Amino acid sequence: MDIINKSITQLLCVKRNHNKIEVFKEETNISSWKGMLYYFPYKYTDRSKIYKIGEANLNGLPYIQLKGRIVQYKYIGEGESRKLSAIFDDGTGAIELIWFRPSKWISKIYKLGREYILFGKPNPYGASLSFMSSSTYKYYTSSILPYDSNRLQLGVSIAHPELEEATEFYEGLVGMHGEYSTTEKMKKVSLYPQFIKKMIIEILENIKDPLPETLPKEIIDNNQLMSLDEAIRNIHFPKSNDLLQQAQYRLKFEELFYLQLSILSIAKHREKHIDGFRFKKIGENFYFLKNNLHFELTTAQQRVVNEIWKDMNTGKQMNRLLQGDVGSGKTLIALLSILLATDNGFQGAIMVPTEVLAIQHYETISQMLNGSAVKVALLTGSTKNKLRGEMLPKVKSGEIQILIGTHALIEEGVEFNNLGLVIVDEQHRFGVIQRAKLWSKNSNPPHVLVMTATPIPRTLAMTIYGDLDVSIIDELPPGRKPVDTYHKYDEKRDKIYEYVQKEIETGKQIYIVYPLIEENEKIDLTNLQEGFQTVKERFPQHNVSMVHGQMNPEEKKQEMQKFLSGEAQIMVATTVIEVGIDVKNASVMIIENAERFGLSQLHQLRGRVGRGTTKSVCILITPQGLSEDAQKRITIMTKTNDGFTIAEEDLKLRGPGNLNGIKQSGFDSNLKIARLSQDGDILDSARNIARRILDDDPNLEKRQNIMLKEQLHKWNMENQTEWFGIS
Ligand code: ADP
Ligand code: MG
């Protein structure tokens, strides 16, 4: 059916709103009708009741829905304070509607005398203002229909109501209405949820034939699923709560089913066609490091290194997840494992999410291997072309044995001689597809070890890693003292600085972290720079370094180096230092505007201190008047140091989708409707069905699977880069 591929610019309600539509496309990447139908609401309001103006006391109700006609428009006031007032009459009574700073189109779009369904919030003021004291307000009447002014209810009005023509189609949408999320950028061009709803209504009204089914009939029947057509209509305008739930189930099921089918078919392919490299011996590189450590491996570290070595010697490809709280010593495990690869004549790579972390890993690892014959190199997106040009042939020839870097490692043009092991540090999004990219760099896929401090829920691990094995470090190196965490309000900053002063005098180093969220990048950067100035002025006798994401790599490196070497006592930074950074001598972590950080972020940041044996402190600074959720996050942080507890709380607290444009950090944000934290059961069932189908027909060649093959192909085209997207 072609109609669903029409462009949203062809919608009537979009006319005169090109600017809005451009922003919408940019923000959501949606340009077709189909895309709109899959832009699902994040919550619902009950609109089953239509109130009568004459019969109810409207004030005090949170929202009301009315059905009636606009009988009069008046412009009131001038300039900034210009308003548009209208009288809305439903036959039992009338109330005033108000638009502040109205667009000139309103009175043209909503026609006098035509019947509308109105939705809005009643305010206990308004009518009296414009109609009673008209002498102080200039007003211009644009048009009036005859109506009985006695019906007008004074002392109640509705500002910026939602109005929808009372067509048969619209009235058929009684029941619940979806609410759509918008981003800050959308709001700036007055693109409100209401407008999104209008687009969806127009699309649904125009699609007369049922939407073509996207799941095979057997799956629908066996699982008693709603048809796609019904599900899409009910997800936007559910006729009842029960139908809403059925619609949600169907759409979640489908989403998770194709996701699993995609993942499992890749895994199947791998099982069938691939042998794992065997790392048989432990050689001089491994022993070089082990013998030069000036501490003992913890029992947990020893156990995990053993697990990994065994795994890399089975003839199968290793896919292992290593979980261990911040500071538990994962880097060392990474390095020991990679040295096993080099001892067996293979190369190894370490991939990390940020340049700052790549640089640090490179420095620590080079230093630890100083005196050995192992050759290490650093490759990031900003490695100069010349250097890159010199480096790549050495990677290809195998001369460089360990390559450390960011996503640049899996880009085109990077070729290895024989990549045996890839370690992915602190990057949950490194999914099946990215790993597949790595394999393509080799005749055989390398072993893969993914390391994270964030315990990943089972459903999520199953999804990203398919059939991953898990190792856990459940022990911190000896002598660590838990970090004490305090919550302080802005007013206390002087006191905090006095404390900082004392700590520096005893030879300690301090982090001060500012938030930086994409949406507010400019403001945040200004805040950071102002913060930097303030800190420099407050501590004139000390060196302060600053790092943020927008700096050029050279600057970044220098500023990091200043802090690593101890030349700078204070580091002012954004969350670029969130993961992995390791400075043992740092004992105070101050987080400004801590209310704007998520729980796992706060935990990661706090993990930057308490890495040596001295007592460390984390101070969360916030303004007064925190939201309930922010308060909860802060309280959890002050109460526990345990990464597992924090991860659980984090999952519980995380709200819906991409609300208000602040991107969620979790994997869920790539799903349109399913939530891995809640929909484990649906995932299980979808996965089992997908597995059964593939066991029976691995390449989906049988006749009954034609549709699946087609749909899977489409799904892969539409979702893979998004799902496993490389940013
Ligand atoms: P994370 O697990 O957060 O990546 P790191 O690997 O950065 O932790 O290690 C944190 C610190 O602990 C590093 O400074 C590292 O040198 C040190 N460390 C690692 N293992 C041990 C150990 N067995 N005994 C003492 N210190 C260790
Ligand atoms: Mg680490």
Side-chain angles (χ1 to χ4, degrees):
M1 190 162 72
D2 280 324
I3 189 164
I4 61 173
N5 294 323
K6 275 195 177 178
S7 160
I8 49 177
T9 49
Q10 293 183 31
L11 292 167
L12 282 177
C13 66
V14 163
K15 288 211 169 135
R16 294 200 200 98
N17 285 302
H18 285 295
N19 165 24
K20 284 184 197 173
I21 272 305
E22 287 314 310
V23 173
F24 183 78
K25 278 188 187 166
E26 265 167 41
E27 289 284 278
T28 62
N29 252 334
I30 291 174
S31 57
S32 70
W33 287 21
K34 182 176 173 199
M36 284 311 297
L37 293 178
Y38 281 82
Y39 193 76
F40 299 139
Y42 69 94
K43 69 170 192 187
Y44 295 85
T45 45
D46 188 351
R47 300 216 190 161
S48 43
K49 185 169 171 57
I50 291 187
Y51 288 88
K52 296 261 187 280
I53 298 172
E55 291 168 14
N57 180 10
L58 303 180
N59 271 332
L61 293 171
Y63 284 96
I64 51 168
Q65 184 166 243
L66 305 169
K67 180 176 168 183
R69 293 163 208 280
I70 294 174
V71 291
Q72 161 173 332
Y73 277 116
K74 279 179 182 177
Y75 282 102
I76 304 160
E78 309 252 29
E80 283 287 286
S81 61
R82 193 167 121 110
K83 301 185 204 66
L84 176 63
S85 151
I87 300 209
F88 186 84
D89 189 316
D90 75 350
T92 69
I95 57 167
E96 188 191 14
L97 311 180
I98 297 256
W99 286 267
F100 299 98
R101 302 210 209 160
S103 127
K104 61 181 175 182
W105 298 111
I106 288 171
S107 59
K108 305 226 162 45
I109 295 169
Y110 303 118
K111 304 239 159 38
L112 283 177
R114 195 172 279 176
E115 201 169 31
Y116 288 101
I117 307 278
L118 173 151
F119 185 77
K121 183 178 171 48
N123 295 312
Y125 41 78
S128 49
L129 253 189
S130 45
F131 287 88
M132 307 318 281
S133 48
S134 53
S135 57
T136 54
Y137 281 81
K138 263 196 190 162
Y139 64 81
Y140 308 93
T141 302
S142 68
S143 32
I144 295 185
L145 286 182
Y147 90 102
D148 177 1
S149 62
N150 289 331
R151 285 224 281 267
L152 184 66
Q153 279 208 13
L154 299 178
V156 56
S157 70
I158 296 179
H160 296 256
E162 269 182 55
L163 289 163
E164 203 53 64
E165 219 180 307
T167 57
E168 206 177 310
F169 179 84
Y170 188 82
E171 287 193 65
L173 303 177
V174 291
M176 284 184 289
H177 276 216
E179 302 276 318
Y180 300 90
S181 55
T182 49
T183 63
E184 289 302 327
K185 279 187 189 148
M186 294 188 206
K187 281 182 205 146
K188 263 193 209 130
V189 294
S190 306
L191 196 165
Y192 300 109
Q194 201 173 328
F195 184 76
I196 297 176
K197 184 145 109 196
K198 266 197 198 324
M199 291 200 275
I200 289 174
I201 289 176
E202 195 182 324
I203 291 169
L204 284 176
E205 205 175 3
N206 273 291
I207 297 180
K208 300 283 192 291
D209 296 326
L211 294 163
E213 189 47 66
T214 45
L215 279 173
K217 187 166 180 322
E218 304 84 83
I219 293 186
I220 294 198
D221 291 349
N222 294 343
N223 298 282
Q224 289 150 19
L225 299 176
M226 198 180 234
S227 74
L228 179 71
D229 185 70
E230 267 186 288
I232 290 286
R233 288 174 198 272
N234 275 291
I235 203 74
H236 294 288
F237 300 100
K239 299 262 156 57
S240 70
N241 214 349
D242 183 45
L243 289 171
L244 172 61
Q245 278 175 10
Q246 288 186 45
Q248 283 173 328
Y249 188 91
R250 142 86 206 210
L251 294 165
K252 286 177 175 189
F253 179 93
E254 173 163 1
E255 183 166 54
L256 295 172
F257 174 75
Y258 280 114
L259 177 61
Q260 289 296 329
L261 198 65
S262 173
I263 289 171
L264 290 173
S265 60
I266 294 174
K268 266 249 153 1
H269 178 85
R270 194 182 71 204
E271 262 169 46
K272 237 169 98 185
H273 299 282
I274 282 157
D275 296 322
F277 298 125
R278 284 202 123 118
F279 295 176
K280 294 204 177 108
K281 69 169 189 207
I282 300 185
E284 57 186 23
N285 295 337
F286 184 91
Y287 286 122
F288 173 87
L289 180 62
K290 187 110 191 292
N291 297 335
N292 280 303
L293 286 177
H294 39 264
F295 49 72
E296 292 290 312
L297 293 186
T298 61
T299 321
Q301 281 173 321
Q302 276 173 24
R303 175 173 36 81
V304 169
V305 171
N306 267 325
E307 282 170 358
I308 292 170
W309 182 47
K310 256 185 147 165
D311 219 8
M312 295 191 299
N313 198 8
T314 57
K316 282 197 189 149
Q317 185 215 7
M318 175 175 81
N319 272 284
R320 188 169 279 278
L321 174 69
L322 171 59
Q323 298 190 338
D325 211 343
V326 279
S328 59
K330 296 186 291 293
T331 314
L332 188 57
I333 306 231
L335 188 51
L336 286 168
S337 313
I338 277 210
L339 292 175
L340 282 171
T342 62
D343 277 340
N344 287 276
F346 289 93
Q347 292 168 294
I350 303 184
M351 200 169 108
V352 298
T354 65
E355 187 154 25
V356 174
L357 184 51
I359 295 169
Q360 183 199 265
H361 273 348
Y362 174 71
E363 309 261 317
T364 354
I365 290 174
S366 306
Q367 199 193 340
M368 287 170 102
L369 295 178
N370 192 8
S372 82
V374 184
K375 277 206 107 164
V376 188
L378 172 71
L379 179 68
T380 68
S382 49
T383 301
K384 295 253 160 50
N385 275 342
K386 180 159 174 282
L387 191 57
R388 195 182 140 95
E390 286 165 10
M391 192 188 301
L392 292 184
K394 293 186 190 162
V395 175
K396 194 171 176 186
S397 71
E399 188 186 334
I400 289 174
Q401 291 160 284
I402 302 180
L403 189 61
I404 299 171
T406 51
H407 268 124
L409 293 192
I410 55 173
E411 270 162 21
E412 303 265 319
V414 185
E415 276 179 68
F416 290 84
N417 177 35
N418 57 355
L419 182 60
L421 170 64
V422 176
I423 306 221
V424 182
D425 193 12
E426 298 293 0
Q427 204 162 14
H428 315 158
R429 284 166 172 257
F430 197 78
V432 183
I433 305 295
Q434 274 99 337
R435 278 184 279 147
K437 271 202 156 182
L438 280 171
W439 310 338
S440 68
K441 295 192 168 296
N442 245 14
S443 55
N444 258 10
H447 297 299
V448 178
L449 178 68
V450 180
M451 308 197 298
T452 176
T454 316
I456 299 180
R458 191 187 61 96
T459 44
L460 188 55
M462 259 166 60
T463 307
I464 323 172
Y465 304 115
D467 39 12
L468 202 80
D469 296 308
V470 179
S471 290
I472 294 177
I473 313 186
D474 45 10
E475 180 186 3
L476 293 178
R480 295 278 172 82
K481 298 193 182 67
V483 180
D484 287 338
T485 304
Y486 303 97
H487 173 205
K488 299 282 173 200
Y489 291 110
D490 287 329
E491 304 89 89
K492 289 277 154 61
R493 198 171 281 103
D494 273 348
K495 275 252 149 32
I496 297 169
Y497 285 162
E498 278 169 33
Y499 171 74
V500 164
Q501 179 63 37
K502 278 195 205 123
E503 281 292 292
I504 295 177
E505 277 162 17
T506 69
K508 296 294 168 201
Q509 287 169 281
I510 318 290
Y511 290 104
I512 305 179
V513 175
Y514 288 79
L516 202 158
I517 293 171
E518 262 175 74
E519 290 288 320
N520 298 319
E521 221 166 272
K522 278 217 181 97
I523 306 173
D524 282 347
L525 217 53
T526 317
N527 284 346
L528 175 81
Q529 258 134 10
E530 276 169 13
F532 179 58
Q533 281 311 327
T534 317
V535 173
K536 271 209 317 211
E537 279 157 28
R538 176 66 182 70
F539 300 98
Q541 67 283 40
H542 301 305
N543 283 324
V544 185
S545 70
M546 172 165 77
V547 184
H548 59 79
Q550 328 244 293
M551 278 173 150
N552 75 44
E554 243 346 277
E555 272 179 297
K556 238 188 257 176
K557 210 163 155 182
Q558 276 172 14
E559 294 291 304
M560 274 307 296
Q561 200 50 44
K562 259 169 51 186
F563 193 66
L564 291 174
S565 69
E567 187 194 331
Q569 290 75 32
I570 303 176
M571 149 90 64
V572 171
T574 57
T575 47
V576 291
I577 60 141
E578 175 181 337
V579 288
I581 298 305
D582 185 45
V583 179
K584 282 206 181 58
N585 193 45
S587 68
V588 181
M589 165 61 69
I590 295 174
I591 305 177
E592 293 277 356
N593 283 107
E595 78 284 357
R596 288 179 53 194
F597 293 87
L599 262 181
S600 54
Q601 246 181 341
L602 289 172
H603 182 60
Q604 277 285 355
L605 285 168
R606 176 169 64 185
R608 297 311 112 216
V609 296
R611 309 194 130 230
T613 44
T614 41
K615 185 86 211 159
S616 296
V617 165
C618 171
I619 301 171
L620 309 172
I621 306 186
T622 76
Q624 300 273 0
L626 293 179
S627 75
E628 204 178 309
D629 270 5
Q631 184 62 57
K632 268 192 206 148
R633 289 196 294 271
I634 305 276
T635 309
I636 293 165
M637 285 298 295
T638 55
K639 289 226 167 95
T640 179
N641 265 298
D642 178 50
F644 277 83
T645 314
I646 288 173
E648 262 168 42
E649 296 293 336
D650 193 26
L651 263 182
K652 275 192 232 154
L653 281 177
R654 251 193 254 151
N658 199 355
L659 202 52
N660 285 328
I662 294 172
K663 280 217 185 72
Q664 233 186 282
S665 51
F667 227 88
D668 274 356
S669 54
N670 285 331
L671 289 167
K672 291 200 177 70
I673 186 163
R675 289 288 162 262
L676 293 169
S677 51
Q678 294 156 21
D679 299 324
D681 290 350
I682 310 180
L683 180 82
D684 275 348
S685 127
R687 182 178 170 88
N688 286 335
I689 294 168
R691 189 193 287 280
R692 238 179 288 141
I693 294 173
L694 288 170
D695 281 346
D696 172 58
D697 182 14
N699 297 321
L700 300 177
E701 285 157 347
K702 293 193 176 168
R703 256 192 69 195
Q704 72 265 30
N705 292 330
I706 290 176
M707 172 185 203
L708 276 182
K709 187 163 193 149
E710 240 179 65
Q711 288 297 329
L712 177 62
H713 181 69
K714 261 195 208 159
W715 190 94
N716 283 339
M717 300 299 285
E718 280 169 22
N719 292 289
Q720 277 196 347
T721 44
E722 206 177 308
W723 241 89
F724 308 105
I726 297 162
S727 47

